[in-house]
């Protein structure tokens, strides 16, 4: 059964790959990405955990872009789980009128999801630099306080 499913899936993918792409659709996507890359800031809308004071976290719509299993084990409290591949499909639940913060484990997949959202018109999206791992290692919600606290001698 598993082998039949694999063969069927492979045949479907090969068939879809052989369909002619519409040049005007491809060009529209390229134009949108070029326009985005022309105006995006150097950091690509990244933000570090220590740049967000503890009280400011409640202003964000936080997206955990990891899979459900990882989210279930541990996540930033208050985060919504929207797997990185699903951000465009689920964009109706992502607000445009408040800051959106997206993260994964290290920032790589959330950067891709954030890029897709920004090209789709979400100028309010920020990617958590270093992802969940860095957020945790820098003190979570207390990262900003730790970064600005008194120097240790």
């Amino acid at each position: 059964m598993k082998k039949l499913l694999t063969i069927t899936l492979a045949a479907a993918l090969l068939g879809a790959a052989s369909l002619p792409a519409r040049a005007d659709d491809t060009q529209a996507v390229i134009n949108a990405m070029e326009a985005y890359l022309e105006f995006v800031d150097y950091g690509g809308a990244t933000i570090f955990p220590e740049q967000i004071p503890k009280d400011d976290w409640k202003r964000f719509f936080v997206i955990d872009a990891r899979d459900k299993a990882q989210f279930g084990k541990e996540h930033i409290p208050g985060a919504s789980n929207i797997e990185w591949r699903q951000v465009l499909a689920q964009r109706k639940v992502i607000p445009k009128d408040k800051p959106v913060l997206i993260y994964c484990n290290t920032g790589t997949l959330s950067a891709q999801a954030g890029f897709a959202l920004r090209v789709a018109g979400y100028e309010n999206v920020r990617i958590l630099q270093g992802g969940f791992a860095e957020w945790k290692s820098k003190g979570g919600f207390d990262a900003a306080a730790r970064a600005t606290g008194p120097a240790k001698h």
Side-chain angles (χ1 to χ4, degrees):
M1 181 68 177
K2 188 175 180 182
K3 186 174 182 178
L4 178 60
L5 181 62
T6 303
I7 292 169
T8 304
L9 181 58
L13 290 172
L14 286 173
S18 66
L19 293 175
R22 290 189 40 186
D24 54 336
D25 290 345
T26 302
Q27 192 57 50
V29 170
I30 291 170
N31 290 346
M33 288 190 289
E34 282 178 343
Y36 170 77
L37 292 172
E38 285 176 13
F39 82 85
V40 70
D41 57 341
Y42 178 74
T46 58
I47 188 168
F48 290 88
E50 59 270 28
Q51 290 178 285
I52 307 171
K54 187 175 189 172
D55 292 338
D56 285 358
W57 279 90
K58 61 184 170 247
R59 295 183 322 115
F60 287 91
F61 180 81
V62 181
I63 299 171
D64 184 319
R66 301 172 306 158
D67 63 41
K68 287 185 189 328
Q70 291 175 327
F71 179 82
K73 286 181 185 175
E74 192 174 26
H75 59 271
I76 294 175
S80 296
N81 184 218
I82 304 174
E83 192 172 338
W84 69 278
R85 290 183 180 113
Q86 295 298 312
V87 294
L88 291 179
Q90 299 293 321
R91 67 187 177 277
K92 290 181 181 174
V93 302
I94 302 171
K96 284 190 169 186
D97 61 347
K98 69 184 288 186
V100 173
L101 181 68
I102 187 168
Y103 72 91
C104 60
N105 283 320
T106 60
T108 304
L109 297 177
S110 56
Q112 291 181 50
F115 176 72
L117 286 169
R118 289 183 59 103
V119 168
Y122 285 80
E123 296 178 22
N124 57 329
V125 175
R126 301 290 176 264
I127 294 96
L128 187 61
Q129 180 70 35
F132 184 71
E134 193 165 319
W135 176 81
K136 221 171 119 173
S137 73
K138 289 187 173 181
F141 291 131
D142 294 323
R146 286 185 179 188
T148 59
K152 294 179 183 176
H153 297 288

